[in-house]
Amino acid sequence: MIVAIDPGLAGGIAFHDPAAKTFAIFAMPTHHLTRGGKKKSEIDATELARLVDAHGPIARAVVEGVGAMPGQGVTSSFAFGKGFGIVLGILAANFIPLELVAPATWKRATGIPSGSGKDASRARASALLPHLAGHWSRAMDDGKAEAALIALWAARQIGGAV
């Protein structure tokens, strides 16, 4: 089993068994809270840990390698980094070997043109995995499509059937 993760709040998680050619696709679990009088969302670490535990044993985790984005504020950069750390921590706590993959690497390998937006990821995932296209039919579900594409990339790297 491979778990592939697009780590943002609008990200996704794909559990892929290349031998059985199966997928389980989920939106990144989040919860809402109020901090400083403002409503915030953050990754629900407990639910993410439950998802990982429920789909084990997992032989490999592949997470999109991310970094600060130009123009992103300090607070949002910190929040994104916190979420990324939660993802990495849960994988490490479950002793799952981890690989970070640059967006350009998996996108090029799965046939997404350079500079394309999120809709290109949804379209390409639908072309490669038409039976799963319902998981990312809405624009806001692009993270699930990207997680599925990262899982395909990972399976190809280990020579597994997709």
Side-chain angles (χ1 to χ4, degrees):
M1 182 71 69
I2 296 167
V3 61
I5 302 176
D6 177 4
L9 284 177
I13 304 144
F15 297 93
H16 176 41
D17 182 342
K21 299 183 181 177
T22 60
F23 279 86
I25 310 286
F26 300 91
M28 181 63 71
T30 60
H31 61 242
H32 307 286
L33 57 138
T34 302
R35 193 176 287 143
K38 294 182 179 179
K39 293 184 186 223
K40 305 277 184 178
S41 293
E42 62 181 33
I43 291 176
D44 185 336
T46 303
E47 187 57 30
L48 178 57
R50 282 188 185 125
L51 277 173
V52 169
D53 186 58
H55 290 85
I58 298 170
R60 182 179 186 194
V62 182
V63 177
E64 184 177 61
V66 294
M69 295 184 296
Q72 189 174 29
V74 174
T75 302
S76 56
S77 290
F78 181 82
F80 186 78
K82 178 182 174 185
F84 186 64
I86 287 170
V87 168
L88 299 182
I90 288 169
L91 296 171
N94 283 281
F95 306 101
I96 301 169
L98 171 68
E99 179 178 356
L100 298 177
V101 60
T105 300
W106 70 259
K107 287 180 179 184
R108 182 174 41 257
T110 57
I112 297 173
S114 179
S116 296
K118 299 291 188 176
D119 285 340
S121 296
R122 292 174 46 241
R124 187 64 180 144
S126 293
L128 294 172
L129 300 164
H131 60 292
L132 297 173
H135 286 283
W136 45 79
S137 59
R138 302 174 306 167
M140 64 187 282
D141 293 328
D142 60 280
K144 293 191 283 185
E146 293 198 349
L149 290 169
I150 294 167
L152 286 178
W153 175 85
R156 289 175 182 164
Q157 297 308 299
I158 59 174
V162 293

